[in-house]
Amino acid sequence: MHSLVRAAALAPSPARVLDLGCGAGEPIARYFIERGDAVTGVDVAPAMLALAQQRFPSHEWLHADMRELALDRQFDVVIAWDSSFHLKREAQRRLFARIARHTA
């Protein structure tokens, strides 16, 4: 969790957080939510998003593929914890550019 603490320390408070591959919102989204941040979670698994929505109904949960994400907004923190390593190397490279476009 040290990396989460570091990312949070660099962001304004409250921060706008984009959690790519958020799953059910545990533990990453929960960490930021408990700090008082606004979390937008993205995942390809509807069942996981339903759990996240149930656990944290006041936050935004989007069914999407992070490789294709094109939101018309930016976030203070963009995190892809335990998700981007599932992608092939070339897809990871393309994802970094997409993350940059979503980062304030």
Side-chain angles (χ1 to χ4, degrees), residues 19-31 33 39 41-57 59-61 81-82:
D19 183 0
L20 299 173
C22 66
E26 298 280 353
I28 306 307
R30 176 180 291 280
Y31 171 81
I33 290 167
V39 173
V42 173
D43 206 283
V44 296
M48 299 301 271
L49 288 168
L51 286 172
Q53 178 66 44
Q54 181 180 11
R55 290 176 177 160
F56 311 107
H59 295 269
E60 183 178 25
W61 309 102
W81 196 276
D82 282 342

